[in-house]
Amino acid sequence: MRRIETLFELCRLFPRLVVFILFGMFHNNPRTCDMATSSEQNQDRFQRRPAVEAMTGLSRSSIYSKMDPRSPQHDPEFPKPVRLGKRAVAWRESDILAWMNGRQSTAA
Protein backbone atom coordinates (compact mmCIF):
# COMPACT_ATOMS: atom_id res chain seq x y z
CA MET A 1 0.00 0.00 0.00
CA ARG A 2 1.33 3.37 -1.01
CA ARG A 3 1.78 6.05 1.66
CA ILE A 4 0.28 9.53 1.08
CA GLU A 5 2.88 12.07 2.13
CA THR A 6 1.51 15.49 1.22
CA LEU A 7 -1.76 17.29 1.58
CA PHE A 8 -1.64 18.13 -2.11
CA GLU A 9 -1.47 14.44 -2.98
CA LEU A 10 -4.39 13.73 -0.64
CA CYS A 11 -6.47 16.42 -2.34
CA ARG A 12 -5.60 15.03 -5.75
CA LEU A 13 -6.49 11.43 -4.83
CA PHE A 14 -9.62 12.10 -2.75
CA PRO A 15 -11.23 15.39 -3.85
CA ARG A 16 -14.72 14.49 -2.59
CA LEU A 17 -13.42 13.60 0.84
CA VAL A 18 -11.62 16.92 1.12
CA VAL A 19 -14.74 18.84 0.08
CA PHE A 20 -16.82 16.88 2.60
CA ILE A 21 -14.35 17.61 5.42
CA LEU A 22 -14.16 21.32 4.57
CA PHE A 23 -17.93 21.59 4.23
CA GLY A 24 -18.40 20.04 7.66
CA MET A 25 -15.81 22.34 9.21
CA PHE A 26 -17.15 25.62 7.86
CA HIS A 27 -20.85 25.02 7.50
CA ASN A 28 -22.83 26.65 10.34
CA ASN A 29 -25.66 24.15 10.51
CA PRO A 30 -26.42 23.24 14.15
CA ARG A 31 -27.66 19.83 13.01
CA THR A 32 -24.31 18.87 11.50
CA CYS A 33 -21.82 20.51 13.82
CA ASP A 34 -21.64 22.32 17.14
CA MET A 35 -20.06 25.49 15.77
CA ALA A 36 -23.21 27.61 16.10
CA THR A 37 -23.06 30.10 18.95
CA SER A 38 -25.98 30.97 21.17
CA SER A 39 -26.44 34.31 19.38
CA GLU A 40 -26.78 32.50 16.05
CA GLN A 41 -29.36 30.15 17.54
CA ASN A 42 -31.42 33.07 18.88
CA GLN A 43 -31.52 34.99 15.60
CA ASP A 44 -34.95 35.74 14.24
CA ARG A 45 -35.80 34.15 10.92
CA PHE A 46 -37.90 35.56 8.12
CA GLN A 47 -40.74 33.35 6.95
CA ARG A 48 -42.25 33.73 3.50
CA ARG A 49 -46.00 33.46 2.94
CA PRO A 50 -46.20 29.68 2.34
CA ALA A 51 -44.40 29.08 5.64
CA VAL A 52 -46.72 31.54 7.43
CA GLU A 53 -49.70 29.71 5.94
CA ALA A 54 -48.34 26.42 7.24
CA MET A 55 -47.56 27.84 10.69
CA THR A 56 -50.92 29.55 11.21
CA GLY A 57 -53.23 27.32 9.20
CA LEU A 58 -54.57 30.42 7.43
CA SER A 59 -55.00 30.78 3.68
CA ARG A 60 -53.34 33.51 1.62
CA SER A 61 -56.53 35.55 1.46
CA SER A 62 -57.12 35.21 5.22
CA ILE A 63 -53.61 36.45 5.98
CA TYR A 64 -54.06 39.55 3.85
CA SER A 65 -57.62 40.08 5.20
CA LYS A 66 -56.24 40.15 8.73
CA MET A 67 -53.78 42.88 7.68
CA ASP A 68 -56.35 45.00 5.76
CA PRO A 69 -58.00 47.63 8.01
CA ARG A 70 -61.04 47.78 5.68
CA SER A 71 -61.70 44.06 6.00
CA PRO A 72 -64.24 42.64 8.47
CA GLN A 73 -61.62 40.02 9.40
CA HIS A 74 -59.03 42.71 10.25
CA ASP A 75 -56.88 41.79 13.23
CA PRO A 76 -54.72 44.72 14.43
CA GLU A 77 -52.59 42.24 16.41
CA PHE A 78 -51.60 40.27 13.30
CA PRO A 79 -47.92 40.85 12.46
CA LYS A 80 -46.99 43.17 9.63
CA PRO A 81 -44.69 41.83 6.92
CA VAL A 82 -41.16 43.11 6.38
CA ARG A 83 -40.18 44.18 2.88
CA LEU A 84 -37.22 42.17 1.55
CA GLY A 85 -37.12 43.66 -1.93
CA LYS A 86 -39.29 45.32 -4.55
CA ARG A 87 -41.70 42.41 -4.76
CA ALA A 88 -40.79 40.25 -1.77
CA VAL A 89 -42.08 40.36 1.79
CA ALA A 90 -41.68 38.05 4.78
CA TRP A 91 -42.79 37.88 8.38
CA ARG A 92 -40.56 37.57 11.43
CA GLU A 93 -40.95 34.11 12.88
CA SER A 94 -40.98 35.49 16.43
CA ASP A 95 -43.86 37.85 15.57
CA ILE A 96 -45.92 35.01 14.10
CA LEU A 97 -45.25 32.77 17.10
CA ALA A 98 -46.10 35.58 19.54
CA TRP A 99 -49.37 36.23 17.70
CA MET A 100 -50.22 32.52 17.77
CA ASN A 101 -49.41 32.24 21.49
CA GLY A 102 -51.52 35.33 22.26
CA ARG A 103 -54.65 33.92 20.67
CA GLN A 104 -57.21 32.43 22.99
CA SER A 105 -58.35 28.93 22.23
CA THR A 106 -61.90 28.81 20.87
CA ALA A 107 -62.14 25.03 21.30
CA ALA A 108 -64.36 23.97 24.16
Side-chain angles (χ1 to χ4, degrees):
M1 182 171 206
R2 194 172 139 217
R3 188 172 158 198
I4 299 171
E5 296 189 10
T6 65
L7 183 59
F8 177 75
E9 191 175 0
L10 178 70
C11 293
R12 187 177 56 77
L13 292 173
F14 303 104
R16 286 186 178 176
L17 177 64
V18 173
V19 170
F20 179 74
I21 291 170
L22 291 176
F23 183 76
M25 287 173 58
F26 296 110
H27 190 259
N28 276 337
N29 186 347
R31 293 185 199 122
T32 58
C33 66
D34 294 327
M35 293 177 65
T37 63
S38 61
S39 63
E40 289 173 338
Q41 291 173 350
N42 293 333
Q43 282 182 345
D44 204 8
R45 294 183 177 188
F46 288 119
Q47 299 293 337
R48 300 295 301 272
R49 185 183 44 80
V52 174
E53 290 175 11
M55 289 172 69
T56 62
L58 298 172
S59 66
R60 175 187 177 277
S61 59
S62 295
I63 289 171
Y64 286 106
S65 290
K66 290 197 174 295
M67 294 188 307
D68 184 7
R70 298 170 295 178
S71 170
Q73 289 85 26
H74 176 65
D75 182 358
E77 302 292 319
F78 193 79
K80 305 289 184 258
V82 175
R83 184 159 297 282
L84 300 178
K86 276 186 175 181
R87 298 181 56 176
V89 296
W91 287 260
R92 286 186 179 89
E93 185 175 25
S94 61
D95 292 347
I96 295 295
L97 294 173
W99 176 80
M100 290 171 58
N101 290 333
R103 308 247 327 139
Q104 291 183 0
S105 176
T106 57

